[in-house]
Amino acid sequence: MNQRITRISSSVTGLAADPAPALRFSVPLSATRRGARLARLLATEQLRSWGLPLDPMRLIVAELAANAVQHGRVPGRSFRLVLAVTRPATLRIEVTDTRGDRLPARTPGVGGSLAESGRGLLIVAELADRWGVEEGPVPCKTVWAEIGLAPVP
């Protein structure tokens, strides 16, 4: 069963429990559709270079980056993608945008209609072991997802 967790804090990040992740990748990207596509491509190459499976990680990156571009965009400001392998073997995906005033909805829309959009975080919730939102530092927010990695034999 997937757990959805929301941690809201302006001073504690999800990596606070492990201040030195085993592997870390961080890159700022333009808050455009091209930037969201580049986030997915860069994540794919980084995961490949670390010898990690590509799916479902790249799908989660694609959803979080698309949300940052669509809902978290501020003209002239970028979003940041972070991939980190923490201890114990967990991949943490973070996407930080500059619209801290617009937090993602934790539940689907009312009525169950077949909308063209609005299902991205439902996909993230199904694919990730945990996910949540952290506010701050102002004006930012970070949407994160974690996936346990299978131990290497």
Side-chain angles (χ1 to χ4, degrees), residues 50-141:
W50 288 342
L52 296 177
L54 301 180
D55 291 319
M57 289 78 153
R58 66 181 167 183
L59 299 172
I60 293 171
V61 168
E63 289 298 337
L64 296 182
N67 281 351
V69 167
Q70 185 173 1
H71 304 292
R73 183 175 188 274
V74 173
R77 295 196 181 167
S78 60
F79 71 93
R80 177 168 295 278
L81 168 67
V82 174
L83 304 175
V85 177
T86 62
R87 295 175 194 91
T90 299
L91 175 70
R92 183 174 174 98
I93 301 164
E94 297 180 349
V95 174
T96 302
D97 65 51
T98 54
R99 288 296 304 262
D101 59 323
R102 295 187 71 183
L103 298 178
R106 302 292 300 170
T107 57
V110 179
S113 64
L114 295 175
E116 287 185 30
S117 64
R119 293 193 176 13
L121 288 176
L122 292 174
I123 293 170
V124 170
E126 287 301 313
L127 297 176
D129 294 327
R130 292 166 299 284
W131 75 277
V133 180
E134 294 176 359
E135 290 183 57
V138 173
C140 299
K141 74 171 172 301

XYZ file of all heavy atoms in Angstrom, residues 50-141:
689
model
N 23.935 5.747 -12.749
C 24.019 5.173 -11.418
C 23.681 3.684 -11.405
O 23.760 3.037 -10.361
C 23.079 5.894 -10.465
C 23.510 7.282 -10.083
C 24.761 7.826 -10.209
C 22.688 8.281 -9.492
N 24.755 9.113 -9.738
C 23.501 9.424 -9.281
C 21.352 8.348 -9.125
C 23.020 10.599 -8.724
C 20.869 9.511 -8.567
C 21.694 10.627 -8.367
N 23.251 3.146 -12.545
C 22.890 1.736 -12.618
C 21.553 1.425 -11.966
O 21.311 0.296 -11.546
N 20.672 2.423 -11.908
C 19.352 2.232 -11.297
C 18.309 1.981 -12.372
O 18.462 2.415 -13.519
C 18.962 3.474 -10.487
C 19.847 3.790 -9.293
C 19.397 5.081 -8.630
C 19.841 2.644 -8.293
N 17.226 1.303 -12.008
C 16.142 1.096 -12.983
C 15.533 2.437 -13.389
O 15.495 3.381 -12.605
C 15.126 0.233 -12.228
C 15.475 0.371 -10.792
C 16.922 0.738 -10.699
N 15.062 2.516 -14.620
C 14.506 3.767 -15.135
C 13.053 3.964 -14.738
O 12.616 5.095 -14.520
C 14.645 3.810 -16.652
C 16.078 3.701 -17.184
C 16.072 3.753 -18.702
C 16.964 4.769 -16.590
N 12.310 2.876 -14.687
C 10.893 2.989 -14.366
C 10.628 2.413 -12.985
O 11.245 1.415 -12.610
C 10.049 2.270 -15.411
C 10.097 2.985 -16.751
O 10.051 4.215 -16.759
O 10.210 2.303 -17.780
N 9.794 3.042 -12.213
C 8.892 4.147 -12.525
C 9.488 5.527 -12.272
O 8.794 6.533 -12.356
C 7.715 3.904 -11.594
C 8.359 3.359 -10.354
C 9.502 2.504 -10.865
N 10.778 5.597 -11.949
C 11.381 6.867 -11.551
C 11.219 7.973 -12.586
O 10.854 9.095 -12.247
C 12.871 6.686 -11.241
C 13.118 5.923 -9.969
S 12.886 4.165 -10.231
C 13.945 3.499 -8.988
N 11.481 7.650 -13.855
C 11.393 8.711 -14.867
C 9.953 9.169 -15.094
O 9.714 10.312 -15.473
C 12.066 8.303 -16.163
C 11.427 7.166 -16.890
C 12.194 6.851 -18.147
N 11.780 5.567 -18.687
C 12.327 5.017 -19.743
N 13.302 5.627 -20.372
N 11.906 3.863 -20.170
N 8.996 8.295 -14.842
C 7.590 8.699 -14.946
C 7.224 9.679 -13.835
O 6.506 10.661 -14.062
C 6.678 7.471 -14.880
C 6.872 6.443 -15.993
C 6.047 5.199 -15.712
C 6.523 7.037 -17.331
N 7.748 9.437 -12.645
C 7.505 10.352 -11.524
C 8.154 11.703 -11.800
O 7.541 12.754 -11.594
C 8.011 9.739 -10.204
C 7.147 8.517 -9.848
C 8.001 10.768 -9.080
C 7.674 7.700 -8.692
N 9.398 11.687 -12.290
C 10.071 12.942 -12.638
C 9.252 13.700 -13.676
O 9.044 14.911 -13.553
C 11.499 12.680 -13.176
C 12.090 13.936 -13.805
C 12.398 12.164 -12.059
N 8.757 12.998 -14.687
C 7.969 13.647 -15.745
C 6.724 14.316 -15.168
O 6.404 15.462 -15.520
C 7.587 12.630 -16.819
N 6.024 13.641 -14.275
C 4.806 14.205 -13.682
C 5.115 15.409 -12.798
O 4.447 16.438 -12.879
C 4.052 13.145 -12.869
C 3.382 12.084 -13.696
C 2.308 12.619 -14.630
O 1.748 13.715 -14.377
O 2.025 11.950 -15.623
N 6.138 15.279 -11.939
C 6.467 16.382 -11.035
C 6.993 17.596 -11.801
O 6.660 18.740 -11.470
C 7.467 15.931 -9.977
C 6.979 14.850 -9.001
C 8.049 14.531 -7.977
C 5.671 15.237 -8.336
N 7.802 17.356 -12.826
C 8.320 18.470 -13.631
C 7.192 19.135 -14.414
O 7.127 20.370 -14.493
C 9.408 17.973 -14.576
N 6.291 18.355 -14.975
C 5.156 18.930 -15.710
C 4.286 19.773 -14.778
O 3.827 20.860 -15.155
C 4.324 17.814 -16.354
N 4.081 19.307 -13.543
C 3.305 20.091 -12.577
C 4.012 21.396 -12.229
O 3.366 22.437 -12.082
C 3.058 19.285 -11.304
C 1.938 18.280 -11.474
O 1.232 18.272 -12.473
N 1.796 17.414 -10.502
N 5.338 21.341 -12.078
C 6.090 22.564 -11.758
C 5.943 23.593 -12.876
O 5.812 24.783 -12.612
C 7.567 22.234 -11.540
N 5.941 23.126 -14.105
C 5.815 24.027 -15.250
C 4.386 24.545 -15.382
O 4.162 25.727 -15.634
C 6.265 23.305 -16.543
C 5.867 24.079 -17.774
C 7.768 23.068 -16.502
N 3.412 23.672 -15.189
C 2.018 24.065 -15.392
C 1.450 24.851 -14.214
O 0.749 25.838 -14.410
C 1.156 22.834 -15.641
C -0.273 23.179 -15.978
C -1.067 21.957 -16.394
O -0.574 20.845 -16.413
N -2.317 22.182 -16.731
N 1.753 24.428 -12.996
C 1.111 25.029 -11.824
C 2.053 25.875 -10.970
O 1.578 26.641 -10.138
C 0.492 23.940 -10.949
C -0.473 23.067 -11.676
N -1.678 23.528 -12.142
C -0.397 21.759 -12.032
C -2.314 22.529 -12.746
N -1.550 21.457 -12.696
N 3.359 25.696 -11.128
C 4.302 26.392 -10.270
C 5.153 27.420 -10.984
O 6.104 27.944 -10.428
N 4.796 27.722 -12.199
C 5.608 28.621 -13.017
C 5.433 30.077 -12.614
O 4.324 30.559 -12.437
C 5.227 28.462 -14.486
C 6.069 29.301 -15.414
C 5.710 28.988 -16.868
N 6.629 29.648 -17.758
C 6.467 30.902 -18.183
N 5.420 31.594 -17.802
N 7.342 31.443 -18.994
N 6.565 30.754 -12.485
C 6.611 32.200 -12.330
C 7.513 32.684 -13.455
O 8.645 32.197 -13.587
C 7.200 32.614 -10.964
C 7.393 34.120 -10.893
C 6.297 32.136 -9.833
N 7.027 33.601 -14.307
C 7.855 34.045 -15.430
C 9.240 34.508 -14.973
O 9.386 35.228 -13.995
C 7.049 35.207 -16.020
C 5.633 34.907 -15.639
C 5.726 34.263 -14.277
N 10.248 34.026 -15.686
C 11.622 34.404 -15.389
C 12.294 33.583 -14.303
O 13.463 33.799 -14.011
N 11.573 32.642 -13.703
C 12.161 31.813 -12.648
C 12.170 30.353 -13.077
O 11.285 29.899 -13.792
C 11.393 31.960 -11.346
C 11.498 33.366 -10.803
C 11.081 33.411 -9.385
N 11.163 34.784 -8.890
C 10.629 35.166 -7.774
N 9.983 34.306 -7.019
N 10.745 36.418 -7.382
N 13.152 29.632 -12.607
C 13.304 28.231 -12.977
C 12.738 27.316 -11.892
O 12.303 27.775 -10.843
C 14.792 27.920 -13.190
O 15.519 28.172 -12.005
N 12.762 26.024 -12.173
C 12.472 25.028 -11.149
C 13.721 24.168 -10.998
O 14.608 24.208 -11.844
C 11.220 24.202 -11.472
C 11.359 23.222 -12.608
C 11.713 21.902 -12.368
C 11.128 23.609 -13.921
C 11.832 20.997 -13.408
C 11.232 22.714 -14.966
C 11.591 21.398 -14.707
N 13.818 23.428 -9.898
C 15.000 22.611 -9.640
C 14.595 21.155 -9.499
O 13.630 20.834 -8.802
C 15.708 23.054 -8.369
C 16.922 22.180 -8.023
C 17.785 22.768 -6.947
N 18.401 24.002 -7.382
C 19.516 24.089 -8.125
N 20.116 22.996 -8.532
N 20.016 25.266 -8.453
N 15.355 20.291 -10.165
C 15.202 18.841 -10.042
C 16.359 18.312 -9.210
O 17.519 18.656 -9.471
C 15.229 18.185 -11.427
C 15.357 16.659 -11.444
C 14.103 16.001 -10.867
C 15.628 16.168 -12.859
N 16.037 17.502 -8.213
C 17.060 16.841 -7.401
C 16.740 15.353 -7.373
O 15.598 14.961 -7.126
C 17.091 17.391 -5.953
C 18.058 16.586 -5.088
C 17.449 18.862 -5.944
N 17.760 14.548 -7.620
C 17.690 13.103 -7.431
C 18.734 12.764 -6.381
O 19.877 13.225 -6.475
C 18.030 12.357 -8.721
C 17.219 12.688 -9.965
C 17.785 11.937 -11.166
C 15.763 12.335 -9.754
N 18.365 11.977 -5.397
C 19.316 11.604 -4.360
C 19.053 10.177 -3.904
O 17.904 9.801 -3.675
C 19.217 12.558 -3.171
N 20.114 9.409 -3.804
C 20.019 8.077 -3.225
C 20.456 8.227 -1.780
O 21.579 8.636 -1.496
C 20.906 7.058 -3.967
C 20.841 5.698 -3.286
C 20.463 6.948 -5.429
N 19.527 7.956 -0.877
C 19.776 8.114 0.550
C 19.889 6.744 1.196
O 19.592 5.721 0.565
C 18.645 8.921 1.215
O 17.417 8.203 1.064
C 18.510 10.292 0.588
N 20.284 6.740 2.437
C 20.374 5.490 3.185
C 19.128 5.349 4.042
O 18.723 6.333 4.637
C 21.624 5.516 4.064
C 22.872 5.538 3.230
C 24.087 5.697 4.139
N 25.240 6.054 3.360
C 25.632 7.300 3.101
N 24.972 8.325 3.572
N 26.694 7.532 2.380
N 18.531 4.205 4.216
C 18.806 2.991 3.461
C 18.281 3.132 2.043
O 17.447 3.989 1.785
C 18.055 1.910 4.220
C 16.925 2.622 4.884
C 17.405 4.034 5.153
N 18.723 2.333 1.165
C 18.518 2.402 -0.278
C 17.159 2.962 -0.709
O 16.202 2.234 -0.914
C 18.742 1.027 -0.878
N 17.107 4.276 -0.838
C 15.897 4.967 -1.267
C 16.279 6.026 -2.277
O 17.246 6.754 -2.082
C 15.210 5.654 -0.063
O 14.851 4.664 0.901
C 13.967 6.414 -0.483
N 15.524 6.104 -3.360
C 15.701 7.201 -4.306
C 14.678 8.262 -3.955
O 13.478 7.985 -3.854
C 15.488 6.755 -5.751
C 15.557 7.900 -6.763
C 16.973 8.437 -6.891
C 15.028 7.476 -8.111
N 15.163 9.475 -3.759
C 14.294 10.616 -3.474
C 14.341 11.538 -4.679
O 15.411 11.937 -5.126
C 14.746 11.347 -2.220
C 13.810 12.501 -1.857
C 14.226 13.103 -0.537
N 13.461 14.282 -0.216
C 12.414 14.321 0.584
N 11.989 13.218 1.159
N 11.787 15.463 0.830
N 13.161 11.875 -5.181
C 13.003 12.798 -6.301
C 12.362 14.056 -5.746
O 11.322 13.974 -5.087
C 12.104 12.183 -7.397
C 12.702 10.879 -7.913
C 11.862 13.185 -8.526
C 11.725 10.015 -8.696
N 12.977 15.203 -6.001
C 12.425 16.477 -5.539
C 12.327 17.433 -6.721
O 13.258 17.526 -7.517
C 13.325 17.125 -4.485
C 13.476 16.349 -3.220
C 14.380 17.050 -2.215
O 15.053 18.041 -2.590
O 14.406 16.617 -1.061
N 11.213 18.134 -6.789
C 11.057 19.216 -7.762
C 10.606 20.443 -6.973
O 9.575 20.428 -6.312
C 10.053 18.857 -8.877
C 9.804 20.054 -9.775
C 10.576 17.677 -9.698
N 11.425 21.489 -7.052
C 11.161 22.729 -6.322
C 10.805 23.820 -7.305
O 11.534 24.044 -8.282
C 12.406 23.152 -5.509
O 12.742 22.084 -4.613
C 12.146 24.423 -4.719
N 9.672 24.487 -7.072
C 9.287 25.620 -7.918
C 9.074 26.845 -7.045
O 9.170 26.764 -5.819
C 8.053 25.292 -8.778
C 6.800 25.053 -7.960
O 6.463 25.896 -7.093
O 6.117 24.037 -8.195
N 8.790 27.972 -7.662
C 8.699 29.240 -6.924
C 7.266 29.692 -6.676
O 7.019 30.877 -6.470
C 9.482 30.336 -7.665
O 9.020 30.398 -9.008
C 10.960 30.054 -7.654
N 6.331 28.761 -6.665
C 4.939 29.088 -6.339
C 4.528 28.378 -5.063
O 3.661 27.501 -5.063
C 4.000 28.679 -7.479
C 4.062 29.505 -8.740
C 3.639 30.960 -8.555
N 2.330 31.149 -7.999
C 1.234 31.393 -8.698
N 1.281 31.475 -10.000
N 0.089 31.575 -8.089
N 5.121 28.768 -3.953
C 4.787 28.179 -2.665
C 3.365 28.453 -2.230
O 2.836 27.781 -1.356
N 2.728 29.438 -2.863
C 1.345 29.766 -2.533
C 0.357 28.802 -3.193
O -0.818 28.831 -2.886
C 1.025 31.202 -2.962
C 1.217 31.434 -4.449
O 2.171 30.858 -5.038
O 0.430 32.202 -5.032
N 0.836 27.948 -4.100
C -0.038 26.998 -4.794
C 0.398 25.580 -4.473
O 1.202 24.988 -5.182
C 0.016 27.235 -6.297
C -0.555 28.593 -6.692
C -0.653 28.744 -8.169
N -1.715 27.874 -8.662
C -2.008 27.732 -9.938
N -1.337 28.384 -10.844
N -2.975 26.938 -10.318
N -0.161 25.029 -3.393
C 0.171 23.664 -2.988
C -0.706 22.683 -3.757
O -1.877 22.966 -4.028
C -0.032 23.487 -1.493
C 0.842 24.366 -0.604
C 0.503 24.129 0.869
C 2.310 24.127 -0.861
N -0.150 21.516 -4.091
C -0.954 20.532 -4.823
C -2.079 19.982 -3.962
O -1.942 19.866 -2.745
C 0.054 19.441 -5.182
C 1.209 19.646 -4.292
C 1.200 21.073 -3.864
N -3.183 19.652 -4.612
C -4.323 19.050 -3.918
C -3.973 17.623 -3.536
O -3.375 16.896 -4.313
C -5.555 19.067 -4.817
N -4.347 17.225 -2.337
C -4.035 15.880 -1.845
C -5.082 14.859 -2.260
O -4.876 13.675 -2.104
C -3.940 15.904 -0.319
C -2.915 16.851 0.233
C -1.510 16.451 -0.069
N -1.227 15.154 0.504
C -0.135 14.465 0.237
N 0.750 14.942 -0.580
N 0.068 13.304 0.779
N -6.228 15.317 -2.753
C -7.282 14.398 -3.148
C -7.757 14.748 -4.548
O -7.678 15.895 -4.969
C -8.483 14.472 -2.186
O -8.947 15.828 -2.145
C -8.093 14.030 -0.794
N -8.277 13.771 -5.299
C -8.773 14.054 -6.637
C -9.998 14.951 -6.606
O -10.649 15.096 -5.577
C -9.109 12.672 -7.205
C -9.273 11.787 -6.018
C -8.432 12.380 -4.916
N -10.305 15.526 -7.762
C -11.458 16.412 -7.880
C -12.761 15.719 -7.541
O -12.893 14.502 -7.629
N -13.738 16.483 -7.155
C -15.038 15.962 -6.760
C -15.833 15.573 -8.005
O -15.745 16.216 -9.030
C -15.801 17.036 -5.955
C -17.166 16.525 -5.549
C -15.003 17.452 -4.744
N -16.604 14.525 -7.907
C -17.501 14.148 -8.987
C -16.971 13.039 -9.863
O -17.716 12.403 -10.574
N -15.652 12.791 -9.852
C -15.085 11.695 -10.624
C -15.219 11.855 -12.119
O -15.221 10.875 -12.844
N -15.382 13.059 -12.627
C -15.505 13.241 -14.063
C -14.182 12.944 -14.748
O -13.121 12.978 -14.138
C -15.945 14.681 -14.381
O -14.941 15.575 -13.966
N -14.246 12.657 -16.030
C -13.062 12.335 -16.801
C -12.420 13.619 -17.312
O -12.604 14.012 -18.457
C -13.420 11.406 -17.964
C -13.920 10.022 -17.561
C -14.367 9.244 -18.785
C -12.845 9.269 -16.818
N -11.662 14.257 -16.468
C -10.976 15.483 -16.840
C -9.751 15.148 -17.680
O -9.200 14.051 -17.602
C -10.558 16.243 -15.583
N -9.319 16.129 -18.503
C -8.132 15.932 -19.325
C -6.866 16.025 -18.511
O -5.813 15.569 -18.933
C -8.087 16.977 -20.442
C -9.097 16.730 -21.527
C -8.932 17.704 -22.673
O -7.803 18.154 -22.918
O -9.933 17.999 -23.324
N -6.913 16.649 -17.351
C -5.729 16.780 -16.516
C -6.124 16.592 -15.059
O -7.290 16.379 -14.752
C -5.091 18.160 -16.721
O -5.983 19.165 -16.283
N -5.134 16.662 -14.179
C -5.426 16.553 -12.764
C -5.181 15.188 -12.170
O -5.482 14.943 -11.011
N -4.603 14.296 -12.962
C -4.357 12.957 -12.463
C -2.875 12.677 -12.197
O -2.507 11.594 -11.789
C -4.893 11.929 -13.438
C -6.410 11.964 -13.542
C -6.922 10.748 -14.251
N -8.308 10.498 -14.416
C -9.344 11.262 -14.237
N -9.201 12.468 -13.838
N -10.569 10.872 -14.447
N -2.018 13.659 -12.418
C -0.579 13.464 -12.278
C -0.153 12.996 -10.904
O 0.632 12.061 -10.769
N -0.672 13.628 -9.856
C -0.279 13.222 -8.511
C -0.913 11.899 -8.097
O -0.385 11.204 -7.231
C -0.582 14.323 -7.501
C 0.355 15.528 -7.615
C -0.053 16.623 -6.643
C 1.805 15.135 -7.407
N -2.025 11.535 -8.726
C -2.572 10.193 -8.481
C -1.611 9.140 -9.024
O -1.407 8.094 -8.402
C -3.946 10.043 -9.142
C -5.077 10.874 -8.544
C -6.343 10.732 -9.376
C -5.318 10.479 -7.107
N -1.002 9.435 -10.166
C -0.002 8.528 -10.742
C 1.211 8.456 -9.822
O 1.715 7.374 -9.521
C 0.393 8.995 -12.158
C -0.793 8.837 -13.099
C 1.616 8.241 -12.672
C -0.608 9.489 -14.457
N 1.682 9.615 -9.361
C 2.821 9.650 -8.437
C 2.495 8.836 -7.184
O 3.324 8.049 -6.712
C 3.207 11.103 -8.080
C 4.225 11.134 -6.949
C 3.746 11.823 -9.306
N 1.300 8.997 -6.634
C 0.907 8.277 -5.424
C 0.923 6.767 -5.631
O 1.285 6.014 -4.724
C -0.473 8.730 -4.967
N 0.552 6.328 -6.812
C 0.538 4.896 -7.100
C 1.937 4.331 -7.339
O 2.212 3.190 -6.991
C -0.354 4.593 -8.308
C -1.825 4.718 -8.008
C -2.272 3.779 -6.887
O -1.915 2.584 -6.910
O -2.979 4.249 -5.979
N 2.810 5.131 -7.935
C 4.150 4.642 -8.290
C 5.164 4.770 -7.159
O 6.088 3.970 -7.065
C 4.664 5.392 -9.523
C 3.862 5.194 -10.811
C 4.421 6.073 -11.916
C 3.849 3.725 -11.223
N 5.017 5.778 -6.316
C 5.992 6.034 -5.250
C 5.589 5.319 -3.961
O 4.417 5.019 -3.747
C 6.093 7.534 -4.998
N 6.587 5.075 -3.123
C 6.297 4.512 -1.803
C 5.736 5.583 -0.880
O 4.868 5.311 -0.058
C 7.570 3.927 -1.184
C 8.080 2.725 -1.970
O 7.251 1.980 -2.531
O 9.307 2.547 -2.023
N 6.256 6.797 -1.013
C 5.812 7.943 -0.230
C 5.959 9.181 -1.090
O 6.826 9.245 -1.951
C 6.701 8.131 1.020
C 6.567 7.054 2.047
C 7.684 7.105 3.081
N 9.030 6.928 2.514
C 9.543 5.766 2.114
N 8.832 4.669 2.222
N 10.764 5.690 1.627
N 5.128 10.186 -0.811
C 5.298 11.483 -1.467
C 4.718 12.563 -0.580
O 3.950 12.276 0.331
C 4.678 11.502 -2.866
C 3.174 11.579 -2.906
C 2.305 10.542 -2.786
C 2.381 12.752 -3.073
N 1.010 11.005 -2.870
C 1.027 12.369 -3.052
C 2.684 14.102 -3.240
C -0.011 13.270 -3.188
C 1.647 14.997 -3.379
C 0.313 14.581 -3.359
N 5.111 13.783 -0.834
C 4.606 14.868 -0.013
C 5.059 16.219 -0.535
O 5.642 16.323 -1.615
N 4.775 17.226 0.265
C 5.071 18.607 -0.100
C 5.739 19.282 1.087
O 5.316 19.082 2.226
C 3.778 19.385 -0.452
C 4.097 20.819 -0.838
C 3.008 18.686 -1.540
N 6.760 20.069 0.813
C 7.397 20.889 1.836
C 7.337 22.333 1.389
O 7.671 22.648 0.248
C 8.854 20.470 2.030
C 9.001 19.090 2.598
C 10.451 18.649 2.698
O 11.351 19.402 2.307
O 10.651 17.531 3.174
N 6.904 23.196 2.280
C 6.883 24.624 1.972
C 8.222 25.236 2.327
O 8.870 24.823 3.280
C 5.796 25.321 2.783
C 4.403 24.955 2.337
C 3.360 25.717 3.115
O 3.407 26.961 3.110
O 2.519 25.055 3.741
N 8.603 26.238 1.533
C 9.778 27.035 1.845
C 11.038 26.539 1.189
O 11.052 25.471 0.602
N 12.066 27.327 1.257
C 12.023 28.694 1.766
C 11.169 29.570 0.862
O 11.073 29.323 -0.336
C 13.482 29.149 1.766
C 14.130 28.294 0.729
C 13.389 26.991 0.726
N 10.531 30.571 1.452
C 9.623 31.448 0.720
C 10.363 32.021 -0.472
O 11.500 32.450 -0.343
C 9.103 32.566 1.655
C 8.294 33.598 0.891
C 8.295 31.959 2.778
N 9.822 31.991 -1.645
C 8.453 31.706 -2.048
C 8.285 30.293 -2.600
O 7.352 30.036 -3.349
C 8.230 32.734 -3.150
C 9.553 32.783 -3.862
C 10.577 32.618 -2.756
N 9.167 29.377 -2.262
C 9.215 28.060 -2.912
C 8.400 26.990 -2.200
O 8.008 27.142 -1.054
C 10.663 27.589 -2.991
S 11.715 28.669 -3.948
N 8.211 25.904 -2.930
C 7.694 24.658 -2.378
C 8.420 23.525 -3.093
O 8.887 23.686 -4.218
C 6.189 24.526 -2.555
C 5.774 24.214 -3.976
C 4.310 23.877 -4.062
C 3.817 23.748 -5.478
N 3.959 24.908 -6.319
